[in-house]
Amino acid sequence: MNLTGRTAVVTGGASGIGYAVAARFAADGAAVAIWDLDLHKATEAAERLRQDGCSASAYGVDIADRSQVDRARDATNDDLGVPTILVANAGKEYFGSFLRTSQEQWDEMLRINLTGTFHCCQSLVPGMIEQGWGRIVTISSSAAQGGREWMTAYVASKAGVIGLTQSLARELGPKGITANTIPPEFIDTPMLRQAEADGLLGESIAMHEADTPVRRVGRPEDIAGACAYLVSEEAGYVTGQIIGVNGGRRG
Ligand code: NAP
């Protein structure tokens, strides 16, 4: 895909899926803004991309804090130009039985995963409207397609992300902006490895692989490839969609 001349924001772009998306967009010619909680990690990630001859900058931002999001947007505008591509990927997981989920844990999931996605979209959409062109891809979760025990707060937040994305597609379509969501299942990232190490997957990743139609765990690059298509010029008629990248597993 040719993204030359485009500026893209990837939230959570210092790790896992987000880093693979940032690397793919940068290789395809975009100027990439890596927004992540930890500025040091984001700076290292951007530096790796620049060493490959790509254009990338790092910003420390908590997506749940609107003032930080708006500051990162302004800095990105100044450094790289107005972003017309957003991959709203940053997120956190929470495992725990429904009855033991405290309101604080519930609120934290909604605040980061859902409200954080809202802030990023609302902060960047005016720039996209001005340019008459935009691409939004949110990263939800296959768990939100079928529900998942021990993950009610996480799943509720990600189901909200799906509804937000589909509604944005309808509202922003007339402005030249598409919005789609990818609900990943079982992608080999630090988040998945942590869940395995904490004994939260029920069984090992290797055992889950045997249950997956394509017989392997997903790679962050699998999600990046789908994102590259969704933000391309060619995908202008694809909006409001839930694009499963899950090796044939779902929910
Ligand atoms: P990851 O390796 O943990 O990467 C997530 C990145 O987002 C981390 O760098 C994290 O920073 C950052 N982040 C977390 N909260 C943030 C905040 N408030 N503001 C800014 N950045 C924040 O996880 P991943 O597996 O790549 O997950 C990426 C997305 O895919 C998440 O939304 C996740 O829910 C979704 N997903 C993943 C899978 C999977 O199998 N891996 C499946 C379904 C959905 P810290 O490390 O400092 O927290």
Side-chain angles (χ1 to χ4, degrees), residues 16-17 19-21 23-24 187-188 218-227 245:
I17 292 170
Y19 180 70
V21 172
R24 172 63 193 257
I187 307 295
D188 196 354
R219 303 177 189 118
E221 292 73 20
D222 294 319
I223 305 294
C227 284
V245 181

Side-chain angles (χ1 to χ4, degrees), residues 9-12 33-37 58-78 83 86-90 111-126 128:
V9 167
V10 182
T11 68
I34 294 179
W35 290 11
D36 210 297
L37 213 44
Y59 306 86
V61 49
D62 177 355
I63 58 161
D65 179 333
R66 181 54 176 266
S67 61
Q68 291 189 36
V69 168
D70 287 343
R71 266 203 305 278
R73 177 207 54 205
D74 292 345
T76 303
N77 285 349
D78 290 347
L86 166 65
V87 177
N89 159 79
R111 200 172 56 80
I112 297 170
N113 294 344
L114 181 55
T115 308
T117 301
F118 160 79
H119 286 321
C120 294
C121 292
Q122 205 179 55
S123 184
L124 293 179
V125 160
M128 297 182 193

Side-chain angles (χ1 to χ4, degrees), residues 12 15-18 36-37 41 61-64 89-92 112 139-141 154 158 184-187 189-192:
S15 175
I17 292 170
D36 210 297
L37 213 44
K41 227 170 62 174
V61 49
D62 177 355
I63 58 161
N89 159 79
K92 290 259 196 219
I112 297 170
I139 304 299
S140 46
S141 171
Y154 174 79
K158 291 295 192 176
E185 163 82 15
F186 210 53
I187 307 295
T189 66
M191 184 186 275
L192 188 75

Side-chain angles (χ1 to χ4, degrees), residues 50 58 100 145 160 174 178 180 190 234 236:
R50 282 199 298 270
R100 284 173 186 259
Q145 295 178 285
T178 66
N180 294 285
E234 290 87 333

Side-chain angles (χ1 to χ4, degrees), residues 136-155:
I136 297 169
V137 181
T138 61
I139 304 299
S140 46
S141 171
S142 66
Q145 295 178 285
R148 189 70 54 84
E149 62 277 29
W150 310 108
M151 296 188 86
T152 48
Y154 174 79
V155 168

